[in-house]
Amino acid sequence: MELHITKAQRSDIDALEILYNELNDYLETHINYPGWIKGVYPTRVQAIHFFQSNTLYVAKSGNRLVGSIALTHEPEKAPDNGKWMIDANYEEIFVIHVFVVHPDYFGQGIGTAMIQFAEELGKEQNIKSIRLDVYENNTAAIRTYEKNGFSYIDTVDIGLGHYGLDWFKLYEKVLLR
């Protein structure tokens, strides 16, 4: 499968909303490893926020949008506990948000391709590391991160317990020292 990852365009927002809704519909009828909820996360509002901040990227196979990832300099809601591998200003860090793959494309390497894209872009921009948080029961995503060289940092509460999402694992991958 030929995959192209590019900056999102305004014209991608409708397709992103469809992708998010189809993914959440799938998760409602299967094991919902990330604990996502339709209408809560991910949503069109988040896509617009990341598009407007020029941090949203989309993965397309032909004309079909099959995944997305936001690469920001915004720290996670998790407490900055000083356990990160790199001591750096967030201008020198990518933080992964709204990392999704359409369920029709699970297991086809799209997640890994988007991580590799983030790493290449980070190196081009002299980014020192990539950070993320992931719900502790999202074993599929955790396997992908660990397979791609991310290191476990800590488990923290980021304030989503009211959704039944009590603990999140923090991961980091060092790009430049």
Side-chain angles (χ1 to χ4, degrees):
M1 168 185 22
E2 192 171 326
L3 188 69
H4 298 283
I5 303 171
T6 60
K7 274 259 169 110
Q9 303 297 311
R10 183 167 299 283
S11 59
D12 293 322
I13 299 297
D14 289 342
L16 279 166
E17 182 178 28
I18 291 168
L19 184 155
Y20 298 161
N21 287 335
E22 289 178 354
L23 176 58
N24 276 317
D25 288 344
Y26 174 88
L27 293 173
E28 285 178 14
T29 60
H30 294 76
I31 297 173
N32 187 348
Y33 292 108
W36 291 348
I37 301 167
K38 190 173 185 175
V40 175
Y41 189 89
T43 67
R44 180 183 189 91
V45 170
Q46 282 115 9
I48 291 169
H49 166 76
F50 292 119
F51 169 75
Q52 289 175 337
S53 65
N54 205 31
T55 60
L56 185 62
Y57 297 84
V58 293
K60 293 182 180 179
S61 176
N63 290 328
R64 182 151 188 214
L65 199 147
V66 298
S68 77
I69 189 170
L71 301 170
T72 78
H73 300 290
E74 300 169 24
E76 296 291 352
K77 296 176 184 175
D80 195 355
N81 54 19
K83 295 182 182 179
W84 294 109
M85 297 167 65
I86 293 290
D87 182 24
N89 169 320
Y90 269 92
E91 293 300 315
E92 302 170 298
I93 304 293
F94 272 161
V95 181
I96 292 178
H97 302 271
V98 293
F99 183 30
V100 302
V101 173
H102 193 284
D104 290 349
Y105 294 85
F106 285 174
Q108 296 185 32
I110 292 171
T112 293
M114 287 193 291
I115 288 171
Q116 291 170 349
F117 171 83
E119 291 172 16
E120 291 168 16
L121 185 64
K123 288 175 183 175
E124 288 172 14
Q125 295 182 14
N126 294 315
I127 296 296
K128 292 186 175 181
S129 77
I130 301 174
R131 296 178 181 168
L132 60 93
D133 68 47
V134 58
Y135 176 51
E136 68 177 342
N137 292 335
N138 192 348
T139 55
I142 289 168
R143 275 193 307 272
T144 298
Y145 299 135
E146 290 177 350
K147 178 181 79 171
N148 283 283
F150 281 77
S151 298
Y152 169 77
I153 302 299
D154 198 3
T155 300
V156 298
D157 176 358
I158 64 170
L160 296 176
H162 56 284
Y163 293 114
L165 307 171
D166 294 317
W167 297 104
F168 284 75
K169 293 185 175 194
L170 304 179
Y171 279 86
E172 183 171 32
K173 181 165 186 177
V174 175
L175 301 180
L176 299 173
R177 291 226 181 240

